Amino acid sequence: MTVLPGRRIQNPQSGQLTFAQGMTAVILALGVVFVLHVCVGSGTLSPSEAVAALVNHPFQAVHGRIVWELRVPRAAIATLAGSLFGLSGAMLQAIIRNPLAEPSLTGVTSGAVLFLILSLTFLPLGLIPPVWFPAIALLGGCLTSSLVYFLSRQPNRPSDPLQLVLNGAVVAAIVQSCNSLLLLRDEESLGTILFWLVGSLNGRTWVHWQGIWAVALIALPCGLACARVANLLHLGDDVAAGLGVPVGQARATLFFIAVWLSATAVSVVGAVGFIGLIGPHLARQWVGNDARRLFPLSTAITALLLLGSDLFAQVLTLTFGNHEAALPVGAVTALLGAPFFLYLVLRKTPMGSR
């Protein structure tokens, strides 16, 4: 049976979840993991104690302070940053038509991290408040992605999706080498630089939340609103052009919005790798390639993945480590993502396969 890209096979016996079922399941799981995340820390709380503190009826006053001043902002940032990474990854996979595309493989993440490291390394400490980080990361991501997009352009033709991926990988490698040179140059800032290179939620507070929520409030709806255009681009450049879509302009717009989303997340949690690859792929297995369903489900699944990965990182820290050397969430996502990426490469899964 021939299935148009962007359409979901309607087969009630296939065992696939509908969009509504998938979103409901993910949101319920997100709520459960959020509560468990709030429970875990240097002073572990029971689920009942955590829920009581969340509804402002703590069993002890100290529980309320621990939950709302330390743990809720970290969990909220993980959820929102995961949403941004997930939507960015889904958009990149849609416009590039490659299930292996994700922010860290297209140079966007590396550029955002480079500018954050440069600003923190060469400007006086404390001069840059966290609320400025999204703008700095966006500048770095835009410049890097613009270079990738410029290198991928062909005379009188739209940019080639495959060339975007290849050039992104090359530019990302070059930028990452610059980050390594900065790491060698300034050993005193080793901890700060590694934070941005690996990705972590350690020490995230309401101050960092203030630097991300307002931008995300605009960026997420913009990305979700691009679903129809993404579906048309998925049909191929010739078909999309025949339907009246300015292919080059549309791809550039969606590419910029994907950069905006991922750079905003990087500005608070650093370069968390592979998270924007796994979430959209899992969502695609549930609802197919229709971006109207794929985008929001990818957003929710990746939020759950990042929140769950940070919960796992904290559990491992409490079990085998200490809070002075807490395991960064980027290490957990890399541990999960690298085998997953290898699995996708070996499968050689095309975008349209189900």
Side-chain angles (χ1 to χ4, degrees), residues 194-213:
L194 284 178
F195 172 91
W196 296 109
L197 289 177
V198 178
S200 176
L201 283 154
N202 298 331
R204 302 298 89 179
T205 65
W206 289 120
V207 175
H208 303 92
W209 169 261
Q210 293 174 2
I212 186 176
W213 75 269

Side-chain angles (χ1 to χ4, degrees), residues 37-277:
H37 192 285
V38 171
C39 293
V40 175
S42 56
T44 303
L45 302 177
S46 67
S48 59
E49 290 173 334
V51 171
L54 285 171
V55 297
N56 285 325
H57 293 289
F59 294 165
Q60 300 179 30
V62 68
H63 291 171
R65 291 194 296 271
I66 290 174
V67 167
W68 283 103
E69 295 179 12
L70 299 176
R71 299 184 182 177
V72 168
R74 176 169 178 160
I77 289 172
T79 303
L80 188 55
S83 299
L84 294 167
F85 277 128
L87 183 53
S88 176
M91 292 182 70
L92 288 172
Q93 291 175 15
I95 62 179
I96 296 176
R97 300 198 297 275
N98 189 322
L100 303 181
E102 67 118 3
S104 65
L105 298 178
T106 53
V108 174
T109 301
S110 300
V113 169
L114 175 62
F115 271 60
L116 286 167
I117 293 176
L118 287 173
S119 62
L120 293 170
T121 302
F122 293 102
L123 293 179
L125 186 65
L127 180 63
I128 305 176
V131 292
W132 289 11
F133 286 175
I136 297 172
L138 179 60
L139 177 61
C142 284
L143 290 178
T144 307
S145 61
S146 297
L147 176 61
V148 172
Y149 199 84
F150 175 78
L151 293 174
S152 307
R153 288 187 61 85
Q154 301 176 9
N156 302 319
R157 289 179 60 84
S159 57
D160 181 28
L162 178 59
Q163 198 65 37
L164 276 173
V165 176
L166 296 176
N167 290 336
V170 172
V171 171
I174 295 173
V175 174
Q176 286 172 1
S177 67
C178 294
N179 291 333
S180 299
L181 290 175
L182 289 172
L183 186 63
L184 293 174
R185 177 189 178 279
D186 191 359
E187 295 183 359
E188 294 182 358
S189 302
L190 178 64
T192 301
I193 294 176
L194 284 178
F195 172 91
W196 296 109
L197 289 177
V198 178
S200 176
L201 283 154
N202 298 331
R204 302 298 89 179
T205 65
W206 289 120
V207 175
H208 303 92
W209 169 261
Q210 293 174 2
I212 186 176
W213 75 269
V215 180
L217 190 64
I218 302 173
L220 281 172
C222 287
L224 293 172
C226 295
R228 178 180 176 276
V229 176
N231 278 340
L232 294 176
L233 289 177
H234 189 81
L235 296 172
D237 291 354
D238 293 337
V239 175
L243 293 174
V245 177
V247 175
Q249 180 180 349
R251 181 171 288 121
T253 300
L254 267 65
F255 194 67
F256 170 77
I257 294 176
V259 170
W260 186 16
L261 291 163
S262 59
T264 302
V266 169
S267 69
V268 177
V269 302
V272 179
F274 294 108
I275 200 74
L277 168 69

